[in-house]
Amino acid sequence: MKHLLWFAQVALHADRDRLNAGRHPTRTPQEHLAAAAQWLLRAQQATDDDGVAHSYDARRNRWIASYPETTGYVIPTLCDYADYGGDPRYRDAALRMARWEVAVQQPDGGVRAGTMATRPAVSTVFNTGQVLFGLERALRETGEPLFRDALVRAADWLLQAQDPDGCWRRFQSPLTTTRRATYNTRTAFGLVRAYQATADARYLQAADRNVAWALSTAHANGWLPDNCLGRHRDDRALTHTIAYALRGFLEVGAATGNRGYLDQARRMARAMAQAQAADGSLPGYCDPQWRGAVAWTCVTGNSQMAVNWLRLAQIDGDERWIAHAVAANRYNMSLQHLATANDNVRGALKGSHPLGAAYMPWRYPNWATKFFMDALMLETRPPNAAPAG
């Protein structure tokens, strides 16, 4: 009977989502932030280590093992939230995550593909780049040599893995079919953080080389080939990876003063703003003409684009970007369930809306909640507030 009841609840959840009834009354951004932060702590507590669970699987009613890649960039988000709300629990949790990242770092300095349950454990470029954000923030918070050493080892591994033209072609994740990825500009952004922490110019130079290579592949309208997970190449790209790539151009451009990189970020941001629906959502995939290619939305990508638009408003002083960010934030706020008694879901953001759509179907991935928090904090903090990774 218990199993039958659970399956009935899952089916009801799915049906409500398909009918767009999986939306909820919104409260203040601060209430939504608090619920999201609490869920991330539960996602850490759901594992048998100090990493953050990859996701909660609503279909199977189980948590997925800790995920080093995204735990890495959850760290600065929780540190930012500790400052935002004045609650040291979140910094303490983040530093436990950072110590765990050091403990599970690969012998070569890289970060493994997949979760802690993935075999074999092999170092991969993108995952390593994302953990730089957490190591840099832990070093900034504590000054401990442990974090500096791990940061340098990871950044040095990325430099060794990089091809002379700036592209990373080796050490792509075995969990995708991607062999070169323009969304690795997000990895270049991680190297900017390593440069800022160490003053080692090699890291900024490597970041610059990668973004220059990515820009050389761009179409005249700003579209990037090889910018999607899996088998999609030039016919479409996930909003999630589009937003990753955009952030790389934006932040490396800001760090180097390269106007070409910032112009590319603006082209992409304008195209995504044109693709935004009246309710604030973005299509889960776009095609090379920047048209929506699917009817569902990638919830993570909505928040990431909100961050990108808000960062552009900071950099350019152009407040027209803000309306797009606020609309995306309010849409995602309406997808966050604050009233449910289910601790596994309350405060979390799902991968796709509807829940069973193609990006992280039936999952509440930790990075959806992380980027949601980044976007809301950036919207509601002072205009010059530094963004998380």
Side-chain angles (χ1 to χ4, degrees), residues 176-386:
T176 75
T177 58
T178 303
R179 290 297 167 261
R180 64 175 198 168
T182 44
Y183 58 79
N184 261 322
T185 57
R186 168 81 191 189
T187 299
F189 174 26
L191 283 172
V192 169
R193 287 286 187 258
Y195 162 71
Q196 292 167 339
T198 65
D200 189 331
R202 296 179 304 143
Y203 302 148
L204 186 61
Q205 291 161 3
D208 183 55
R209 283 195 300 273
N210 177 259
V211 176
W213 167 79
L215 183 59
S216 76
T217 74
H219 296 186
N221 68 350
W223 179 260
L224 295 172
D226 298 299
N227 193 29
C228 195
L229 304 172
R231 64 184 177 275
H232 298 296
R233 294 292 177 148
D234 294 331
D235 63 327
R236 62 177 59 184
L238 270 168
T239 303
H240 175 48
T241 46
I242 290 170
Y244 268 153
L246 197 166
R247 186 80 187 274
F249 279 105
L250 185 61
E251 300 296 351
V252 177
T256 62
N258 188 307
R259 293 183 180 180
Y261 301 164
L262 292 171
D263 285 343
Q264 171 65 13
R266 294 182 188 106
R267 278 191 290 273
M268 296 174 73
R270 281 193 294 270
M272 294 302 286
Q274 290 169 1
Q276 189 176 33
D279 63 7
S281 66
L282 289 160
Y285 281 103
C286 287
D287 70 14
Q289 286 71 50
W290 298 102
R291 298 173 302 208
V294 291
W296 52 270
T297 189
C298 174
V299 178
T300 308
N302 294 338
S303 291
Q304 289 174 270
M305 280 307 307
V307 171
N308 290 336
W309 285 318
L310 290 166
R311 281 292 288 140
L312 272 167
Q314 287 182 331
I315 291 167
D316 289 347
D318 186 347
E319 294 187 354
R320 288 176 295 182
W321 297 112
I322 295 175
H324 295 288
V326 172
N329 281 345
R330 295 302 172 273
Y331 178 84
N332 276 4
M333 284 164 60
S334 77
L335 301 181
Q336 187 191 33
H337 202 335
L338 301 185
T340 178
N342 184 351
D343 284 347
N344 299 324
V345 171
R346 189 176 61 257
L349 276 293
K350 52 194 168 181
S352 301
H353 182 69
L355 182 62
Y359 180 71
M360 290 288 131
W362 306 99
R363 300 281 184 90
Y364 291 81
N366 69 50
W367 56 99
T369 301
K370 170 262 187 322
F371 283 115
F372 176 71
M373 290 185 65
D374 289 345
L376 285 183
M377 284 190 286
L378 199 53
E379 177 193 333
T380 57
R381 292 171 86 185
N384 61 348

